[in-house]
Amino acid sequence: GELCEGDGECGTVDSLNNCGNGYDVYRKRSAESIQVSAPGTCSAPLELSTLSSPFSSTTSGMPALSPAVPNSGNCGSSDTTNSKVFVVTLQPGQAITLRQTSNTYDSVHMLRYGGECPGTNTVRCVDDPDDAEVSWQNTLSQPQRVFYMQSGYSSSSQGDFVLEWNIITTTSPSPPSAASPPPLLTSSPPGGVPEYYPSGVQLNVPESTITAGGWTICY
């Protein structure tokens, strides 16, 4: 069998092998010392890039945001209530819009970006109306992680919701192309082959004249 000691090291103990097959010895750990990252928490946010819009979800049974986010504007107790967290990485020039199409409780939603969850910058925090749209465009030079947090107005506010979103990629307009040089002027004598003036200013060249037979091109 294997004996797991207090420092976490394990090894085979032959002295316990009095039944021929040995014993497995385990060390009990308290539930508080075991941390599991539940999907939809700040430590394991749901990736919007792997989901389809609209997406049905719930905040019921979810923990509060950790680390907590200070309230921003009229956002109720969104930093202490059951919350579901989503994340997406926007490339420079990309923009995202999100909104709830429906829910079953008094919700609060927040959009933040930059750094680790829950984000270092607040875009918007909304209490009412619940279906208010939030959006942000990455005008920075580097990709940015964007966090959407679905919470509740109070500690008893939790329930189901449907989230929809749209990611738009914008491109900068192409710079205007350089102006083409002016074309060479042409002459078309009747029945003849066109002749051409050189482009640009010509020095010491007598002016061209028009005769009865058409153009006379002078060089």
Side-chain angles (χ1 to χ4, degrees), residues 45-214:
L46 297 177
E47 290 276 357
L48 289 178
S49 60
T50 65
L51 306 176
S52 297
S53 175
F55 181 74
S56 298
S57 190
T58 184
T59 61
S60 297
M62 297 299 296
L65 285 176
S66 178
V69 179
N71 288 336
S72 176
N74 184 22
C75 272
S77 301
S78 62
D79 57 340
T80 60
T81 61
N82 308 62
S83 301
K84 182 68 68 72
V85 184
F86 300 84
V87 66
V88 66
T89 299
L90 293 187
Q91 300 298 320
Q94 286 188 314
I96 186 170
T97 59
L98 309 98
R99 64 182 290 267
Q100 295 178 79
T101 59
S102 64
N103 67 27
T104 61
Y105 72 109
D106 188 5
S107 71
V108 166
H109 55 283
M110 184 186 306
L111 190 65
R112 294 169 64 90
Y113 72 92
E116 299 299 320
C117 186
T120 56
N121 306 282
T122 298
V123 177
R124 191 180 180 192
C125 188
V126 180
D127 174 20
D128 289 314
D130 286 358
D131 60 355
E133 182 180 277
V134 290
S135 63
W136 184 72
Q137 180 178 9
N138 183 7
T139 58
L140 305 175
S141 60
Q142 298 295 324
Q144 297 293 319
R145 299 183 79 199
V146 181
F147 302 93
Y148 175 87
M149 284 146 284
Q150 178 81 21
S151 302
Y153 182 78
S154 66
S155 58
S156 61
S157 299
Q158 55 183 300
D160 303 332
F161 65 96
V162 177
L163 178 67
E164 69 175 10
W165 64 92
N166 186 32
I167 298 176
I168 303 170
T169 300
T170 60
T171 55
S172 301
S174 302
S177 58
S180 302
L184 299 177
L185 300 178
T186 63
S187 65
S188 300
V193 178
E195 299 182 71
Y196 301 90
Y197 285 110
S199 62
V201 178
Q202 305 299 312
L203 301 178
N204 301 320
V205 176
E207 294 182 359
S208 301
T209 59
I210 298 178
T211 65

Side-chain angles (χ1 to χ4, degrees), residues 9-32:
E9 295 296 327
C10 296
T12 301
V13 181
D14 295 333
S15 61
L16 298 177
N17 190 6
N18 60 352
C19 292
N21 294 324
Y23 296 97
D24 288 331
V25 180
Y26 301 92
R27 179 167 60 92
K28 181 180 179 181
R29 298 180 62 184
S30 64
E32 291 76 12

